[in-house]
Amino acid sequence: MQKILRKIWQTGTLTEAPPAADEIEALGKEVKRIIDQRLGGSLAIRQVDTGSCNACELEIHALGNPYYDIARFGIHFVASPRHADLLLVTGPVSRHMETALRRTWRAMANPRFVIASGDCACNGGEFGSNYATCGGVSRVIPVDLHLPGCPPTPNDLMRGILTLMRKEQPQ
Amino acid sequence: MNRFDWLPGFITLLAEERVAILHSDPILLAPAHCLHLDAEDWGRAARVASASGYRWAGLWGDPVDEQVRIYAVLAHEGDYLVLMTEVPLQAPVLASHTPYFPAADRLERHLHDLLGVDFQDHPDARRWTRHCAWPEDVYPLRSDFPVGGDSPKRAPADVDYPFERILGNGVYEIPVGPVHAGIIEPGHFRFQAVGEQVLRLEARLGYTHKGIEKIAVGRDASGLARLAGRVSGDSTVAHAWAACMAMERAAGVDVPPRALHLRALLAECERIANHLGDIGGICNDVGFAFAHQQFGRLREQWLRGNLAIFGHRLLMDVIVPGGVCRDLPEQWESIIKPQLSTLSRALDDLLAIIDDHSSLEDRLVDTGFLTAELAQMLGVTGYVGKASGQDFDVRRDHGYAPYDGLEVHSPCRTQGDVAARLQIRADEIRDSLNLINRLIQSLPAGPIAVDWPQSVRSSEGLAVVEGWRGEITSFVRFDEDGRVARFFPRDPSWFSLPALEHLVLGNIVPDFPVCNKSVNISYSGQDL
Ligand code: SF4
């Protein structure tokens, strides 16, 4: 136990102001304000991989590491779409996930937001649209924000979420 | 040990079993050796290979005119032997290898779903990769199947896949997925349990199938490298390297020594990043948040180093046909050296804590046990194999450049449990740090790439590399215009998924996440 405490002490706090500080700080404050106002203080995200190469997920995971610690903005990931305000979708929407995606989206309560995260989710990316892919999330469900990148970095993701929160109404 | 000393003995055994070798070809897929067999003898050859204790390492088919060429890879003592045969496209019937090599099961079913090859005596007639996006009797990889498909309607959910069930008092079924509770790839797991104990687990993948083999066709070399880098995002370096190596062998391109060193540097950086993430993830799955945060921190630092040195956190698109697309930045030494020493110090501290932590030991030791026999039978490589006594590493035993000039150390343990798979990852991080040190000390000067030749004629190549997850094989055939006619990347996940289904048996359902994480298969890598 001593060793653990020592390590925690040595490591200190790593959470940092998001890069491009001014812009994001401002957005951060604003998003917190909107989240407090409109969503009762927290933004719950359900993530769905619809055939990503898995790199998009790696970067979404990174949002939870001590450097980004996205929970401090009132944002957290939930297990069920029923509890989610936001659907964060990656992948070109494989046709084998098409119905699962639609059902997940339908299970969400209103108001619900959708982010198509990564080039694949935006327009099919490297996989495009073919016999096995739909070629982007907006071909299957309405999308509020397209977030390009291959994969979007944690900073990109944070920017995207903040931008979305500024929007007036979900689609 | 000389390469292929065992081959003459094997050929004699084949002859005794009346297997006719039409052609024995050391050149076509060099350094692998190719044996062209009569289709009649396909099953018998597998029986002989199985009795000789060889490992079955992959299968693909290649439709050429009115024939389908079928290739199966066998591995032994660091050498690769490719069995090859042809069947008519109109009636592609062949004996199954699955009765002799359980590892062949899903790859044969995949090949059936995509190309329509009918494997006789296959013990499991169910589809594997196909759900409902295309009908039963059409095959996407055939040339008359349009890339865009021909069923424009919405693909319904695959609800009637016949999972095997266990009946009896108190047995119940738990279906999980494809949309999971966590942030992971989509797949379906069907558990049969009694109380908390898992009696049977059957996985069903295919949810991330995105037509990679089909859309590879017609690409140029750099287009294929980009696609290969997205077969499995966490293995982008390994898959891109394998595909480029296969293309370079096919086209007869020699990659400059500096580029090979940089590729190895990339591959070791990728290995370290993934192992860091996995060790944290394994600890997290048994509630040890401290290690999760600490390893998350180390991984993030490492990815930032990747970005500073190679321009991409996950190292995508750095490997290109003919070499790599960017050299080290001027100040690379001042970035990489502190990275190496910080990580190695942090590891000493953290691994000592992990080692000391008895509640962690309680959860990880003996959990998810995979016997050496099963590991061997299923053909598992990488950390899953190495934790169950399979002492094999492509870098050390098959020796491709630049690893053939470096002494590669590869860990091996025999405990076969989650704890051992964690330890192997820790061992591999240290070995990779060591390798990186030696790679940068011996970094050759010179160009980082050669131009891709204008005229590449019909040719094919096979490459094998050690990805962070284990052995990856990659096959490429170019057509007469130098365009890709066939691409088949075989991720190690094909073999570690069946291992997961076995090693979880007898464990309690709540230990599934940690068992799963300790194996960490790539769904994308096997769904294609
Ligand atoms: S956008 Fe890029 S990283 Fe994300 S799933 Fe697609 S290929 Fe992978």
Side-chain angles (χ1 to χ4, degrees):
Chain A
M1 201 64 210
Q2 256 183 7
K3 276 193 214 155
I4 295 185
L5 292 174
R6 192 174 326 124
K7 191 75 201 167
I8 292 173
W9 172 252
Q10 283 169 352
T11 308
T13 305
L14 297 168
T15 8
E16 53 189 23
D22 296 348
E23 183 208 347
I24 300 252
E25 274 300 320
L27 272 171
K29 286 199 185 109
E30 200 178 334
V31 80
K32 193 78 188 79
R33 188 179 60 76
I34 305 173
I35 288 179
D36 286 347
Q37 210 178 59
R38 282 173 55 180
L39 299 169
S42 76
L43 172 68
I45 305 180
R46 174 64 256 174
Q47 194 267 339
V48 175
D49 170 340
T50 65
S52 112
C53 74
N54 79 24
C56 271
E57 279 60 44
L58 293 176
E59 292 293 57
I60 293 171
H61 265 291
L63 286 172
N65 78 35
Y67 282 84
Y68 303 99
D69 188 20
I70 198 172
R72 71 196 154 121
F73 298 115
I75 301 170
H76 63 290
F77 289 90
V78 291
S80 166
R82 300 245 185 250
H83 306 153
D85 308 299
L86 165 62
L87 197 60
L88 181 64
V89 189
T90 62
V93 190
S94 66
R95 298 196 58 211
H96 292 169
M97 275 301 285
E98 192 179 343
T99 298
L101 172 64
R102 195 184 296 271
R103 286 182 184 169
T104 306
W105 175 72
R106 282 218 309 258
M108 293 170 73
N110 277 313
R112 55 189 169 188
F113 300 92
V114 176
I115 293 183
S117 181
D119 291 349
C120 288
C122 289
N123 57 22
E126 196 61 41
F127 310 104
S129 128
N130 66 49
Y131 76 93
T133 65
C134 302
V137 178
S138 61
R139 298 212 171 154
V140 182
I141 55 173
V143 171
D144 296 288
L145 186 91
H146 287 91
L147 186 61
C150 188
T153 63
N155 289 336
D156 295 338
L157 287 160
M158 280 174 69
R159 276 191 207 104
I161 293 169
L162 299 179
T163 313
L164 176 73
M165 282 297 98
R166 270 175 132 183
K167 283 189 157 188
E168 279 299 291
Q169 289 297 329
Q171 285 253 322
Chain B
M1 180 181 66
N2 290 316
R3 304 263 86 153
F4 288 111
D5 331 8
W6 50 274
L7 187 56
F10 179 59
I11 290 177
T12 313
L13 286 175
L14 288 178
E16 282 167 13
E17 287 295 316
R18 300 183 323 282
V19 172
I21 295 171
L22 306 180
H23 182 53
S24 173
D25 189 339
I27 310 292
L28 182 70
L29 294 175
H33 191 105
C34 229
L35 291 182
H36 199 151
L37 306 179
D38 196 295
E40 289 281 302
D41 297 334
W42 192 247
R44 250 175 303 143
R47 194 176 68 211
V48 178
S50 167
S52 307
Y54 302 165
R55 177 167 57 85
W56 194 92
L59 171 89
W60 65 94
D62 186 4
V64 183
D65 304 326
E66 289 308 300
Q67 302 282 315
V68 183
R69 286 188 204 148
I70 313 281
Y71 302 74
V73 182
L74 299 170
H76 187 54
E77 293 180 354
D79 297 322
Y80 291 89
L81 178 69
V82 180
L83 305 180
M84 192 183 139
T85 191
E86 277 169 5
V87 288
L89 189 61
Q90 287 318 312
V93 180
L94 203 57
S96 166
H97 279 183
T98 307
Y100 315 107
F101 291 106
D105 173 11
R106 281 165 183 169
L107 274 157
E108 287 187 341
R109 285 159 67 192
H110 174 77
L111 189 53
H112 173 266
D113 288 357
L114 291 192
L115 199 52
V117 180
D118 196 358
F119 288 98
Q120 305 261 290
D121 304 325
H122 192 296
D124 189 344
R126 293 174 299 172
R127 59 208 153 80
W128 176 249
T129 305
R130 182 175 67 80
H131 292 196
C132 306
W134 68 93
E136 187 174 358
D137 49 356
V138 299
Y139 305 103
L141 286 183
R142 296 205 178 172
S143 57
D144 57 1
F145 185 97
V147 184
D150 49 14
S151 26
K153 286 204 301 282
R154 187 184 304 167
D158 188 22
V159 287
D160 56 2
Y161 183 79
F163 287 98
E164 283 187 32
R165 299 188 64 182
I166 295 184
L167 300 174
N169 246 349
V171 182
Y172 65 102
E173 201 177 57
I174 315 173
V176 184
V179 178
H180 297 269
I183 304 171
I184 58 170
E185 297 183 75
H188 184 93
F189 293 98
R190 189 65 65 97
F191 297 88
Q192 320 280 329
V194 161
E196 285 287 33
Q197 207 180 43
V198 180
L199 295 182
R200 182 181 169 88
L201 164 62
E202 207 182 323
R204 168 92 173 113
L205 295 191
Y207 291 93
T208 73
H209 177 67
K210 40 195 173 280
I212 286 179
E213 292 166 84
K214 184 77 173 179
I215 60 173
V217 175
R219 290 193 174 220
D220 61 8
S222 38
L224 187 72
R226 268 200 323 276
L227 184 63
R230 286 158 181 80
V231 164
S232 174
D234 52 18
S235 310
T236 180
V237 170
H239 272 288
W241 190 356
C244 286
M245 192 192 286
M247 290 192 282
E248 286 147 5
R249 282 175 177 167
V253 169
D254 282 326
V255 179
R258 185 174 177 85
L260 290 170
H261 259 65
L262 291 175
R263 284 179 175 183
L265 205 54
L266 288 158
E268 299 313 316
C269 286
E270 176 169 275
R271 197 179 321 276
I272 289 175
N274 281 296
H275 285 344
L276 288 173
D278 274 5
I279 294 178
I282 290 171
C283 292
N284 188 44
D285 279 342
V286 291
F288 192 36
F290 165 77
H292 182 225
Q293 294 296 323
Q294 289 287 345
F295 279 91
R297 156 181 92 86
L298 295 177
R299 178 177 155 92
E300 178 66 24
Q301 284 170 351
W302 193 257
L303 297 189
R304 290 177 179 205
N306 284 349
L307 179 68
I309 299 168
F310 296 106
H312 192 283
R313 284 163 57 89
L314 302 175
L315 309 172
M316 272 183 173
D317 301 327
V318 186
I319 293 183
V320 294
V324 294
C325 72
R326 53 188 288 157
D327 209 336
L328 299 172
E330 244 171 55
Q331 71 300 8
W332 67 275
E333 273 179 295
S334 64
I335 305 171
I336 209 169
K337 288 196 171 151
Q339 282 253 61
L340 296 175
S341 52
T342 315
L343 178 56
S344 123
R345 265 200 318 274
L347 274 182
D348 290 346
D349 290 354
L350 291 175
L351 293 172
I353 291 173
I354 286 183
D355 244 9
D356 268 4
H357 213 71
S358 49
S359 67
L360 200 59
E361 192 178 299
D362 226 27
R363 296 292 306 278
L364 303 185
V365 173
D366 289 343
T367 304
F369 176 63
L370 180 71
T371 62
E373 292 69 39
L374 256 176
Q376 200 243 343
M377 199 194 287
L378 297 174
V380 201
T381 59
Y383 46 78
V384 183
K386 291 175 191 185
S388 289
Q390 306 306 300
D391 190 8
F392 172 76
D393 188 297
V394 187
R395 295 168 300 171
R396 183 193 64 194
D397 303 321
H398 181 59
Y400 52 105
Y403 295 110
D404 50 358
L406 301 158
E407 222 170 275
V408 178
H409 177 261
S410 169
C412 183
R413 291 173 183 259
T414 50
Q415 295 87 337
D417 53 9
V418 174
R421 291 189 281 279
L422 186 149
Q423 273 306 329
I424 290 284
R425 286 171 166 97
D427 298 342
E428 286 204 338
I429 295 177
R430 289 196 209 281
D431 288 338
S432 291
L433 285 172
N434 194 318
L435 266 175
I436 291 177
N437 263 317
R438 280 182 292 145
L439 282 164
I440 57 183
Q441 271 160 25
S442 57
L443 190 67
I448 57 163
V450 290
D451 286 340
W452 192 251
Q454 290 295 322
S455 57
V456 174
R457 288 174 304 106
S458 306
S459 53
E460 50 198 85
L462 174 69
V464 189
V465 306
E466 181 81 12
W468 73 273
R469 219 178 235 113
E471 173 202 71
I472 290 175
T473 68
S474 198
F475 170 81
V476 176
R477 178 169 65 85
F478 287 117
D479 64 16
E480 51 282 1
D481 302 321
R483 297 262 156 186
V484 175
R486 183 75 173 103
F487 169 53
F488 184 70
R490 200 273 298 137
D491 194 83
S493 303
W494 281 103
F495 306 130
S496 42
L497 178 65
L500 173 66
E501 290 167 321
H502 281 94
L503 62 83
V504 75
L505 301 183
N507 287 261
I508 56 172
V509 176
D511 272 347
F512 174 69
V514 71
C515 291
N516 188 20
K517 188 76 208 173
S518 75
V519 174
N520 191 1
I521 74 150
S522 167
Y523 303 14
S524 180
Q526 88 99 67
D527 285 347
L528 295 174

